[in-house]
Structures are given as C-alpha cells and as structure tokens.
Amino acid sequence: MATITPVDDPADPRVDDFRDLTSADRRPDRPGGRGLVIAEGVVVVRRMIDSPYPVRSLLGVPRRFDELADDLATLPVPAYAADAETMAAVVGFHLNRGVLAVADRAAPPDVAELLRHARLVAVLEGVNDHENLGALFRNAAALGVDAVLLGPRCSDPLYRRSVRVSMGHVLRVPFAELPGPWPASLDVLRAAGLRVAALTPAPDAQPLATADLAGQRAAVLLGAEGPGLTAEALAAADLRVRIPMASGVDSLNVATAAAVAFHALTPLEEGAPGDRLGRSHAARGRKAT
C-alpha cells in the first residue's frame, strides 16, 4: 500500500516532482519541462491510479488521503501529507482540490495497431487550447471514440489543465501523433479501412445526418476553434460534413461540435465506451480502466 509520510517543509526534496508546476509542468522537450503527468483532485487521481500511466507519488492534505484510502491500499508509492499552506508553497499556487498525483509518461501506442480494430477515431489539426482539448477527450471517452490522433500544431493532451478538464479521461483514451507529412498522413486511416470526414461549418458541406456514416468505421477530422481546418486538410478528406445550425450562429466550440459528431456516428448502448476503451488499452499492453 502507499506509504503516507507527513511533510511540513516546502523545500523537502521528496516533493520535487510537484514543485513550481506553473513553470515545470511541460513536455520534456520544452524549457524547464520534466514531462511528468499531473492529476488534480480525488476523481482525477483515482483515474490516474487506474490507468496505464505509472504513478510516482502523491501530495495532498490528510482528509483527501482518507477519501483515497481504498485506492491507495494496493498502490506501492509514497504519499506525502501536508497542510494547505505547505502544498501551496510547493506547487506555486493554492490548490482547492487538495491532492495531486504525478506519473511518468508512457510510450505512445503504435498508430497502425490503434486503428486495426477502431470503429470511430478523432483526428485533430491545430487544436491548441488546453481546455478545449481536455473537453474533447472527455467527450471522446463518453461517446465511444476508440482513439484520438494528433496532427500538426496540437497542444499536449497530458498538460495538467487538459488532464483536469478531461476529468482524467485523457488518461484512458488512447492517443498518438500521426506520423509523416500532413495531410498525406491521413492515408494511414484509409489504409486501415476508415472514411475520413472533415467537420466544417461550410454551407456546401453535407449535413452530418445524411452522410450515411453512422455505424461505419470513420475518422472525424476536427480543426481549431476559430480558423477551423486548413484548406489542405479539407481537400484531403473523403467527404466534408456539417452540423446544421439555427440562423445567426455560424459555428460551435470544437469540443461541442466533436460531441455532436461522435454521438451521431456511434451506435452505442449504455456501457459500451468503457468496453471499447478497455480493449484499446489491452492492445497497448498496459493496465486499462
């Protein structure tokens, strides 16, 4: 079980993984970044514990560890208990949620293996807002998306804010970067038997409901809020689809638009998304939720 150790000195080196997160919580290739994955709050920490990402340690106030007692019973990592003021001094800001967990990154899954049995995939171009990205992953988990593939100019899904906004679901939806030049790399989806549908508000795009994609193996291509998909990405898709909207509204938030598309394209029964995500994790050879 996790060993809970009191910490009252913010300079204690045992909590260095949690130190100054506003500047150190970055990808390994960014200045000052350590590339660790941070979970905030009881719910997200639970999902990290029950995910493929190997937990290194926890930092929290005692009452949050009491709430996590069952989860920590079989987790052989250190857990450091501190008061709120000590935590704030370590982390660099006041943490309302009262507990953090830190994990190592895992090797990204092989794209071809992810696509082998996938029925619905999200492909992102230029989605660089951490909150939109986190919300999109939460929607993907809820609505049966088997994998998320990242094209150019996307934010890091494992950034702390994305993990938090996703409610930890970014830790259970498999994702990887598309290899090769963009948008030619979309050919890997077609080679795996998926149709690539670009979501766009363009009035000449086909309404989503009449695109005859429901139940088919498909990839939904989504662009950044504001600029949307590039002309090159739109041209590389097999078809362009739109969500009909009321007069005077020209677009939706990208995470909201994604949710509408995922729901329209996935013939789900209640409970199905977890089963499919579990199989995706099993294919990665790591623990699934």
Side-chain angles (χ1 to χ4, degrees):
M1 64 179 295
T3 302
I4 298 178
T5 304
V7 170
D8 57 13
D9 180 4
D12 192 319
R14 292 175 296 180
V15 295
D16 280 350
D17 280 350
F18 303 94
R19 193 172 308 286
D20 299 326
L21 293 185
T22 52
S23 60
D25 177 27
R26 305 181 184 188
R27 290 184 347 199
D29 58 340
R30 299 290 175 85
R34 296 194 294 264
L36 299 174
V37 186
I38 307 290
E40 297 180 46
V42 169
V43 172
V44 181
V45 166
R46 282 191 175 124
R47 289 186 175 136
M48 174 177 278
I49 291 171
D50 194 26
S51 83
Y53 295 84
V55 178
R56 292 162 59 100
S57 61
L58 298 93
L59 174 66
V61 297
R63 71 185 181 94
R64 297 304 187 197
F65 286 143
D66 291 341
E67 295 177 47
L68 289 164
D70 291 344
D71 306 274
L72 300 179
T74 57
L75 188 68
V77 301
Y80 300 107
D83 59 32
E85 290 70 26
T86 302
M87 277 194 70
V90 173
V91 173
F93 55 89
H94 183 72
L95 188 77
N96 292 327
R97 295 167 184 82
V99 66
L100 297 164
V102 62
D104 289 312
R105 295 190 178 222
D110 178 73
V111 171
E113 186 61 31
L114 274 185
L115 297 178
R116 190 182 306 278
H117 302 294
R119 287 180 286 174
L120 181 60
V121 174
V123 185
L124 312 182
E125 180 193 40
V127 179
N128 54 18
D129 181 275
H130 294 109
E131 295 191 2
N132 280 339
L133 194 60
L136 195 150
F137 267 88
R138 185 177 183 180
N139 295 337
L143 297 169
V145 173
D146 293 296
V148 176
L149 298 180
L150 307 174
R153 303 180 306 283
C154 287
S155 293
D156 179 10
L158 296 179
Y159 181 70
R160 176 173 49 86
R161 188 180 305 163
S162 295
V163 175
R164 183 184 72 231
V165 173
S166 80
M167 289 302 295
H169 290 296
V170 71
L171 305 174
R172 64 188 293 253
V173 178
F175 69 89
E177 293 186 10
L178 265 176
W182 178 264
S185 53
L186 292 172
D187 287 341
V188 70
L189 293 140
R190 282 183 278 267
L194 285 86
R195 293 184 72 192
V196 180
L199 197 60
T200 172
D204 61 342
Q206 187 173 358
L208 181 62
T210 65
D212 194 29
L213 288 170
Q216 293 192 34
R217 299 181 67 211
V220 180
L221 184 57
L222 298 146
E225 188 170 348
L229 292 166
T230 60
E232 292 79 11
L234 288 167
D238 297 318
L239 71 163
R240 299 184 304 147
V241 296
R242 62 182 173 87
I243 300 168
M245 301 178 203
S247 176
V249 180
D250 61 357
S251 65
L252 294 170
N253 168 276
V254 62
T256 303
V260 173
F262 299 158
H263 184 268
L265 301 182
T266 312
L268 285 178
E269 296 180 2
E270 191 170 354
D275 294 339
R276 291 168 62 184
L277 288 168
R279 288 197 297 272
S280 296
H281 278 317
R284 296 164 75 180
R286 298 199 297 275
K287 183 180 177 184
T289 54

